[in-house]
Amino acid sequence: MTAPDPAFSPRASASPPASVTPSQRAWRRFWRNRPSVAGLAWLAFLVALMALWPWVAPYSFSATSDVQFSPPSATHWFGTDVNGRDLLTRVVYGARVSVMVALVGALVAVVNGVLWGASAGFFGGRWDGFAMRVVDILYSLPSIIFVIVLITTLESWTRQTLQARFHLGPEIVGKARLLFLFAGLGAISWLNMARIIRGQVLSLRSRAFVDASLALGATPGRVLFKHILPNVYGVIIVYATLTVPSIILYESFLSYLGLGIQPPMASWGSLISDGASQLNPIRVHWWLIVFPAGALVTTLLAMNFVGDGLRDAWDPKGRND
Amino acid sequence: MTSYLIKRLLGLVPLLLCISFLSFWLVRLAPGSPFDRERAPASPEIERALRARYHQDEPLWKQYVRYLGALREPDAQGRAHWVGGGLLQGDLGPSLKYRNHTVNDIVAQGLPISMSLSLLAFCFAIGLGVPLGVYTAQRRGEWGDYVGSFFALLAFCVPGLVVGPLLVMGFALRWGWFPVALWTTPWHAVLPTITLGLYFAGRVARLMREGMTEALREGYIVTARAKGLSESRVVFRHALRLAILPVVSYSGPLLADLLTGSFVVESLFRIPGIGVFMVNSALALDYNLVVGLALVYAVLLIVLNLIVDVTYSLLDRRVKLG
């Protein structure tokens, strides 16, 4: 069929077998960066904890008890909250929600941003002008306000539709807001991605291997997906990694305002919000704020360390060792 | 320059129409009405009267045209005349929830407070971020760089909703140095400003470090050093002008993020700004307030972005506006 000669494919470019590919070199640089590896280790620990927690947890995340506001102790390592729920369990559970929202949101943002930016850079001309104008306009709008309006107004509408049209149980319908968090947060986070990918694709498009595969009869779609996008995948990885913490921040922002995750579910933002609402001059329940905030901050730090490490490793201006 | 400004400001008009139409239509998609949110539901007659009073019983297009202020209606004598008011005259209409206030009242009350908080936080972010960025860039690869960059990254990972409660717990409740809440004396502004600005100071410091590192590699810096200028003169007179450009172009989105980020700070410190109205208006389906606030924020952001673009071209003469 139209399979191009592998010699023109950028991944299998003719390099002597003994040498290393640029991507291998980048990973090698990444593994030498100590803060990044430490960040990756922390994230791996967190993922393992989130995955295994239901089996090892002594408490359920929503089980109330008589021990209200117990400070950290041997039985409750992170203390308990206003309803006597174990805070450690809730922090781990909140991690699941926060990380899930961030991963799905980042996926939406990456797919959207890559398609938009790559098509703008690749097809150029009028479409490029239009696409980038849209990005500029969206960039200058108060996007989070639109997300707030979207979430609050469309949520009840979706609930009704889900119940009436698809006969879903209240269990699933109650999570309708999660869907909006995914979509809304993804929808406002793709702009940077689109700009960067467009710039990269624009410079790749004028390279000889693109002309070669077009001359060999490959369709533009095939050239874009098989030859150009694999060349920018380092950039995509870097910016996807940096998008995840920013979506976690957005989610905690919305949950703090009471617009995100609804009780009895919890995310880090809603846990901090619960803790802040218990602030009073008489008794300071510090653990209600310090532990969720600590989890949030260490995870954001770890993600940024990993993102920075990836960026330095994939930076074309970096050292060639 | 003048023609550029006029062009940009004229471009605002279709954009604002677009935003007003989108948000107008979007909030009305939600089931329910602004008048069925009371604890005890009103009788059908009262609700009907309310809907008629606020013209919510008209077809959607008519409501929108009325909102714009471009509606002609027959008066008592049957002669058509302009209804007046409306967006074209800067009237954002009555609030449907706070029924003795107009949207203009609410904006005039809350926005100055929110904006002064945002501006204070902006100054804090720039004032802390730029020196930190310059300091770390000058010591690239030394201990000062590692420590400074770590603090910049840490600030970048500590959003306001984390800093705020911690500051309140420490400086307000335990040691009692600062007031906990409200917005009356300058003393009240200290903790909210730090809460809002710290995260952005981290971002600015990181941008500044990148920019200064790039600038110090330029050829004209070598020339300046070769002339025998002092290091501080090289950095502050020659490199800074180029190095600060990434920060300048970021300050547009920065101001946008500060304006929306102040919602959390206002709710934490009980500051009577506009954030609480923004959040509640969407929940209460206060149609006019939602549309009005979206418009006010859009105008603010576009004007601020314009100022940023002009500043950029003044700093970097290679950039042509237009």
Side-chain angles (χ1 to χ4, degrees):
Chain A
M1 285 264 298
T2 54
D5 190 320
F8 290 111
S9 158
R11 303 298 312 281
S13 59
S15 55
S19 78
V20 285
T21 65
S23 120
Q24 278 172 328
R25 220 181 289 143
W27 282 116
R28 222 174 267 178
R29 272 203 294 268
F30 176 79
W31 287 115
R32 231 176 286 151
N33 189 338
R34 260 182 243 151
S36 309
V37 175
L40 205 61
W42 167 253
L43 292 181
F45 169 73
L46 197 70
V47 169
L49 195 65
M50 289 187 306
L52 297 177
W53 192 251
W55 283 278
V56 298
Y59 309 98
S60 145
F61 79 94
S62 58
T64 56
S65 72
D66 294 336
V67 253
Q68 291 177 320
F69 295 127
S70 144
S73 65
T75 45
H76 298 282
W77 290 0
F78 281 10
T80 60
D81 71 357
V82 59
N83 294 320
R85 293 174 292 196
D86 181 53
L87 193 62
L88 176 59
T89 306
R90 288 185 67 74
V91 167
V92 175
Y93 185 81
R96 296 170 74 143
V97 174
S98 286
V99 170
M100 185 172 65
V101 170
L103 286 181
V104 179
L107 190 71
V108 173
V110 166
V111 170
N112 204 345
V114 167
L115 288 183
W116 195 266
S119 64
F122 187 69
F123 297 112
R126 279 217 185 136
W127 166 244
D128 183 26
F130 167 76
M132 284 301 114
R133 196 77 206 110
V134 168
V135 169
D136 286 346
I137 289 176
L138 288 180
Y139 210 67
S140 68
L141 289 184
S143 44
I144 197 83
I145 291 180
F146 273 90
V147 172
I148 290 177
V149 173
L150 206 73
I151 288 179
T152 47
T153 58
L154 292 191
E155 195 222 354
S156 42
W157 177 75
T158 324
R159 262 186 206 183
Q160 286 184 355
T161 326
L162 283 181
Q163 236 155 8
R165 213 48 84 64
F166 301 102
H167 308 289
L168 294 176
E171 180 73 354
I172 298 177
V173 175
K175 288 177 180 153
R177 183 162 284 195
L178 269 182
L179 278 180
F180 276 105
L181 280 178
F182 295 154
L185 293 178
I188 60 172
S189 309
W190 60 275
L191 300 173
N192 260 334
M193 190 74 160
R195 277 186 176 168
I196 290 156
I197 297 295
R198 172 185 171 267
Q200 298 274 326
V201 170
L202 211 56
S203 73
L204 282 171
R205 199 173 68 121
S206 53
R207 300 274 287 273
F209 70 86
V210 174
D211 291 337
S213 49
L214 282 173
L216 282 169
T219 60
R222 189 183 163 84
V223 173
L224 185 56
F225 284 102
K226 279 272 170 187
H227 299 290
I228 291 187
L229 283 186
N231 274 302
V232 292
Y233 110 104
V235 181
I236 296 179
I237 290 183
V238 169
Y239 283 90
T241 321
L242 294 174
T243 307
V244 175
S246 79
I247 295 191
I248 289 189
L249 277 179
Y250 271 131
E251 186 276 326
S252 57
F253 172 84
L254 289 175
S255 294
Y256 186 89
L257 292 176
L259 300 172
I261 301 295
Q262 300 296 308
M265 291 211 292
S267 76
W268 286 334
S270 71
L271 287 174
I272 297 171
S273 169
D274 290 348
S277 69
Q278 301 294 341
L279 272 181
N280 62 62
I282 300 154
R283 296 191 62 184
V284 174
H285 306 300
W286 55 269
W287 58 93
L288 289 181
I289 292 171
V290 167
F291 288 119
L296 177 68
V297 172
T298 44
T299 307
L300 288 177
L301 261 181
M303 284 176 173
N304 277 305
F305 273 139
V306 173
D308 283 356
L310 284 174
R311 193 185 52 200
D312 290 347
W314 286 94
D315 187 1
K317 281 175 283 179
R319 290 164 298 132
N320 270 359
D321 53 354
Chain B
M1 176 68 109
T2 325
S3 68
Y4 169 76
L5 282 181
I6 292 171
K7 221 165 99 185
R8 279 284 294 262
L9 289 176
L10 280 182
L12 234 159
V13 175
L15 194 59
L16 289 184
L17 278 178
C18 198
I19 293 170
S20 67
F21 179 74
L22 257 180
S23 46
F24 192 87
W25 170 76
L26 201 65
V27 285
R28 281 169 173 79
L29 267 184
S33 90
F35 308 116
D36 60 10
R37 303 275 149 148
E38 311 290 338
R39 221 168 269 162
S43 68
E45 292 82 38
I46 295 179
E47 207 188 315
R48 208 173 315 126
L50 273 173
R51 288 172 68 85
R53 161 85 180 71
Y54 291 103
H55 306 289
Q56 300 296 321
D57 49 356
E58 294 174 345
L60 207 57
W61 67 268
K62 202 172 171 190
Q63 286 186 39
Y64 183 64
V65 177
R66 184 187 292 278
Y67 183 78
L68 291 183
L71 190 67
R72 280 171 78 87
E73 251 186 355
D75 58 9
Q77 281 86 43
R79 278 173 307 192
H81 71 117
W82 294 101
V83 171
L87 193 57
L88 296 180
Q89 294 181 16
D91 180 3
L92 298 170
S95 163
L96 305 181
K97 179 161 181 253
Y98 309 95
R99 286 190 204 127
N100 44 1
H101 287 75
T102 64
V103 175
N104 292 47
D105 285 344
I106 293 175
V107 170
Q109 234 173 51
L111 195 63
I113 297 177
S114 291
M115 281 197 62
S116 41
L117 174 60
S118 300
L119 278 181
L120 281 173
F122 181 78
C123 297
F124 178 79
I126 298 288
L128 186 66
V130 168
L132 185 61
V134 172
Y135 177 86
T136 49
Q138 275 182 297
R139 288 163 186 73
R140 212 180 156 82
E142 297 170 23
W143 272 108
D145 175 31
Y146 291 134
V147 175
S149 296
F150 178 75
F151 276 109
L153 183 62
L154 189 65
F156 181 59
C157 293
V158 187
L161 57 118
V162 171
V163 185
L166 293 179
L167 287 180
V168 169
M169 250 167 24
F171 292 100
L173 295 182
R174 170 151 282 206
W175 296 307
W177 294 351
F178 294 100
V180 182
L182 297 180
W183 188 260
T184 45
T185 62
W187 214 232
H188 285 84
V190 175
L191 291 186
T193 303
I194 298 175
T195 304
L196 186 54
L198 191 63
Y199 168 79
F200 298 100
R203 284 190 86 146
V204 169
R206 281 160 67 87
L207 277 176
M208 193 65 215
R209 178 171 178 273
E210 294 293 308
M212 187 52 94
T213 309
E214 293 285 311
L216 286 176
R217 286 195 191 128
E218 292 281 324
Y220 72 92
I221 296 297
V222 180
T223 314
R225 288 221 173 97
K227 280 200 307 189
L229 295 185
S230 69
E231 184 62 25
S232 67
R233 207 171 158 79
V234 168
V235 169
F236 290 105
R237 282 297 292 264
H238 294 264
L240 191 65
R241 191 169 164 148
L242 184 70
I244 206 159
L245 288 179
V247 175
V248 173
S249 60
Y250 170 62
S251 52
L254 166 65
L255 282 163
D257 288 349
L258 283 172
L259 280 171
T260 45
S262 77
F263 296 172
V264 161
V265 180
E266 286 167 22
S267 110
L268 180 70
F269 288 95
R270 304 287 183 268
I271 296 169
I274 209 157
V276 60
F277 290 105
M278 186 63 237
V279 175
N280 286 343
S281 66
L283 288 173
L285 291 183
D286 190 341
Y287 299 150
N288 285 343
L289 194 52
V290 171
V291 180
L293 289 180
L295 282 173
V296 167
Y297 271 99
V299 171
L300 263 178
L301 291 185
I302 293 167
V303 170
L304 289 172
N305 272 315
L306 188 56
I307 296 175
V308 167
D309 284 354
V310 170
T311 315
Y312 197 103
S313 80
L314 290 180
L315 281 171
D316 187 350
R317 296 288 176 173
R318 290 168 298 182
V319 175
K320 285 267 177 294
L321 293 175

